[in-house]
Structure formats: C-alpha cells, structure tokens
Amino acid sequence: MGVQEVGFPVDLSVVAWCACGGPDGQLQVKVKPSLTHRSGGDASIGVGNFRLVVAGADVAGWSGLTAAGQAPFVLPDDTLGEVAYIPANKDGWSQRLGDAWTFATHWDASTLPAGGRYLDEGVKRGDLVFYVPTGSDEVVVLAGLALMSEDGSTAIGWAPRESWGAEGDPNAF
C-alpha cells in the first residue's frame, strides 16, 4: 500500500521546492520541509527518515549518497502503480555537474519533541536534496514527501506534491 493521508503524528509540509537537472541523467529535487509534532514522545526527523515518493523512477539508476547506506525501495500504490521511496542525500554532500555543483542537503535536526516545530528559514539550511532517476522514458511523477518511522517501515508524516505550491528558485532557499 502507498502512503495514505490520514492521522499522521507529524504535520509535514513543503514550504519551498525546485526540480532541476542532476548527475547521471537524474533530476535533483530540493525541498524545504516544515514539521510540527502532534503526538507524545520524540519523533525521529534525521535526514535518513525522509523519502521522496515518486512514480516512474528507475531505482536501478539512482546514484545518491546517504550516511547509512540507505537505498530506494519500491512499493505498490493503488493509484500510481509502483512508487519509489527515495532517500535524501546525506548532509553536505554534492557532486560536480559540468562547470557547477549539485545542490547539497543541509539538515541539522534529529529529533522533534511532542508539540515541537522545525523549520529552518535560512538559505541553504533545513533543506533536503534527492536524486531522482528518470528511467528510460524520462517521465516521473512526484507524489509527495514522506517522513518515515525510525525503522523505516511506516510513514509518520506526509506532504502530497499538490500541497507544495509553486516551484521556486533553488538558490533562494
């Protein structure tokens, strides 16, 4: 089953985002999330807990780098068919891309207490970068951003793509 939009303990939204060309024929998707924890206890919000949910991605072509050696995984979805859950790149990592560099994740949070909120409004702070392999037809559908439980088995927050608003300038956040 894919991510369902009901009863998540963490309110997750995307306040800024962009998509542009990336290495190895992939897209780079950069997002700035905002989180509010509504339940008891701490919620894990480390960079490794986030997944970009994408339909049409060829995960065999993924070349991102995560701190814990995470890899994308694929699950069936009732609406989109198979969807890939792509991990964010590790903090501070980027790659040479022609005469420039790819964008880097800049994330410093690991836990969010009950009732807590996280949003780093600084430029190049509190943002996540995902590499999205486009596959042979180069058509992917961004379904949303998921915050996964500590063990990675369950979404504890969900921001569907249609709620993200207009795409912005990647250098402005």
Side-chain angles (χ1 to χ4, degrees):
M1 288 282 229
V3 175
Q4 303 295 316
E5 296 182 48
V6 292
F8 294 108
V10 176
D11 288 332
L12 175 62
S13 63
V14 172
V15 299
W17 76 282
C18 70
C20 57
D24 305 318
Q26 299 173 101
L27 293 175
Q28 294 180 79
V29 177
K30 180 180 176 186
V31 300
K32 182 178 286 285
S34 174
L35 303 98
T36 302
H37 186 16
R38 297 182 288 114
S39 296
D42 290 346
S44 294
I45 63 164
V47 68
N49 296 96
F50 290 92
R51 296 285 185 281
L52 188 67
V53 182
V54 180
D58 177 10
V59 297
W62 180 76
S63 71
L65 183 65
T66 64
Q70 299 156 316
F73 58 89
V74 177
L75 294 174
D77 182 88
D78 294 339
T79 305
L80 298 171
E82 288 191 339
V83 293
Y85 286 67
I86 299 173
N89 289 337
K90 75 177 195 169
D91 186 53
W93 181 71
S94 65
Q95 287 183 260
R96 186 68 119 157
L97 185 61
D99 294 336
W101 289 88
T102 61
F103 291 104
T105 290
H106 300 286
W107 194 260
D108 63 358
S110 60
T111 58
L112 188 62
R117 183 168 189 265
Y118 181 86
L119 171 61
D120 189 331
E121 295 183 22
V123 174
K124 295 186 182 176
R125 302 299 326 147
D127 52 356
L128 303 164
V129 175
F130 302 84
Y131 287 174
V132 180
T134 58
S136 60
D137 60 5
E138 298 189 18
V139 175
V140 296
V141 176
L142 300 178
L145 180 66
L147 175 65
M148 305 302 287
S149 60
E150 184 64 31
D151 67 3
S153 66
T154 308
I156 62 171
W158 174 243
R161 165 56 195 96
E162 59 269 11
S163 72
W164 296 4
E167 186 173 359
D169 177 352
N171 293 306
F173 65 95

